[in-house]
Amino acid sequence: MDDLALFSIGSDRNRWLATRSAALADNIANADTPGFKARDVPTFEAALSSANVAMLRTNGNHLAPTQFGARTFDLVNRPGEVPKHSGNTVSLETELANLGETRSQHSLVSGILGAFHRMLLSSSKG
Amino acid sequence: MADELKAAIISSASGLRAQSTRIRIVSENLANASATATVPGGDPYARKTISFAQELDRANGVNTVRVNSIGRDPAPYPAQHMPGHPAADSKGYVKLANVNPLVELSDMREAHRSYEANLQMVRQAREMIGDLIDLLKGK
Amino acid sequence: MIDSISGVGGRALPAGSVDGMAPSSSVAAPKMTPTVSGAASIAQPDHDFATLLGNAISEFGQKMRNAEAVSIGGVKGTAALQDVVEHVMSAEQSLQAVIAVRDKVISAYQEISRMAI
């Protein structure tokens, strides 16, 4: 199959969005923890260019490498946040805004992948 | 954790628990805002404080929050001159709880807001997981 | 992505059932020469199945390329949602057309091959 381009980048984007969700969840859970610094993923472009690709492995059977490398994205401190008196840098407004954006981007990518997947399935029927 | 969306739900669940405890503490403070001692010169209700700490859930490799400690506010008790009150001391002063209802209400609003944010996070993580499963189901 | 889906036209027709039919892996229209003698004069060049299918495939190929390019933009966040939706829907419609024409061609040929010689 030569359809690596869209499925591969779609997969990366959704993994990035999932990692971002975990970072946002951590920030929101620790919104009142003294000294806690809000973190986020780097931008998607920056994340793609770094070489964090771990091949998926299952215990026991060795899977051949697929086009869906399980990328990991390291978190960075959210820049420019003014710490509260407690040293905490979480702003719920920022986190919730990012959360909404993450949700709709994830929905879009899933929708795109679904549409092309269905087209592939139709074209190889009968 | 391999599944980041599940990790998000674990973090948010810990946030919900922590904020729930905070809401309970604030509620106790509010309920006891007027509680004085029953014996002369005795101490009234002492305001409770709560603090959180970050915790790494080692089993899952997920960052969570936990209640670090529940303590007493060391602020002094305000005294009001009420001779004849059961808790009045030899000079007629009664110690009142060191609770300011306005402060507690403000704290309650903050705790509620944080609770709702954690809830919103859980909902959205679940929806994102649902979108992926829909792909499997061919929707 | 383009080639595997565009090949739907070339792969669909059974190889060997029609003279001159080569399995096609791209958007080129397959040449169709009926084995029934005399039937060759029936098909009009401008409206025959070969042209119909070829046009449908080539239009689909173009739409598919556009849809994939815009969708990659959608994934990266550089394309507008409206553009992604329009291009993907257009490609899906085009694919349906290819599949419909292909199915008609197959059943037409099955009819022809059932004709008494």
Side-chain angles (χ1 to χ4, degrees), chain A residues 10 19 32-33 44 51 62 70 73 77 80 82 86 95 100 108 110 112 114:
Chain A
T19 304
D32 299 302
T33 304
F44 188 50
H62 177 69
F73 305 97
N77 278 349
V82 178
S86 62
E95 302 308 316
L108 169 62
S110 302
I112 287 172

Side-chain angles (χ1 to χ4, degrees), chain A:
Chain A
M1 271 195 174
D2 59 358
D3 55 7
L4 291 179
L6 179 61
F7 281 109
S8 177
I9 197 174
S11 167
D12 285 340
R13 180 64 156 175
N14 266 1
R15 283 176 202 280
W16 181 86
L17 289 166
T19 304
R20 184 164 214 218
S21 297
L24 295 175
D26 187 21
N27 292 344
I28 290 172
N30 281 290
D32 299 302
T33 304
F36 179 86
K37 306 296 180 217
R39 296 188 303 165
D40 202 350
V41 284
T43 65
F44 188 50
E45 297 72 32
L48 279 187
S49 56
S50 71
N52 283 347
V53 181
M55 284 313 196
L56 286 167
R57 272 190 216 94
T58 57
N59 48 346
N61 308 322
H62 177 69
L63 276 183
T66 71
Q67 71 269 38
F68 308 118
R71 276 187 191 279
T72 60
F73 305 97
D74 294 329
L75 304 182
V76 296
N77 278 349
R78 201 185 279 291
E81 289 292 342
V82 178
K84 296 176 243 178
H85 179 67
S86 62
N88 182 297
T89 64
V90 176
S91 152
L92 277 182
E93 289 85 2
T94 304
E95 302 308 316
L96 289 171
N98 290 330
L99 186 55
E101 194 183 280
T102 300
R103 172 81 190 91
S104 57
Q105 283 169 0
H106 188 265
S107 192
L108 169 62
V109 174
S110 302
I112 287 172
L113 293 180
F116 280 84
H117 175 68
R118 281 189 301 275
M119 279 197 271
L120 268 182
L121 291 182
S122 299
S123 71
S124 33
K125 263 197 196 130

Side-chain angles (χ1 to χ4, degrees), chain C residues 12-94:
Chain C
L13 298 162
S17 65
V18 176
D19 274 6
M21 172 74 71
S24 157
S25 66
S26 69
V27 300
K31 298 259 179 284
M32 299 185 196
T33 311
T35 53
V36 178
S37 59
S41 56
I42 297 173
Q44 297 302 313
D46 286 343
H47 306 292
D48 66 9
F49 284 131
T51 315
L52 272 179
L53 190 54
N55 290 344
I57 289 173
S58 111
E59 184 195 272
F60 171 67
Q62 188 52 51
K63 293 206 170 185
M64 194 57 185
R65 268 184 288 277
N66 293 343
E68 191 181 4
V70 175
S71 294
I72 288 179
V75 165
K76 284 184 176 167
T78 55
L81 176 58
Q82 180 78 6
D83 290 335
V84 174
V85 169
E86 286 168 355
H87 283 84
V88 170
M89 278 170 49
S90 181
E92 283 174 331
Q93 289 159 13
S94 192

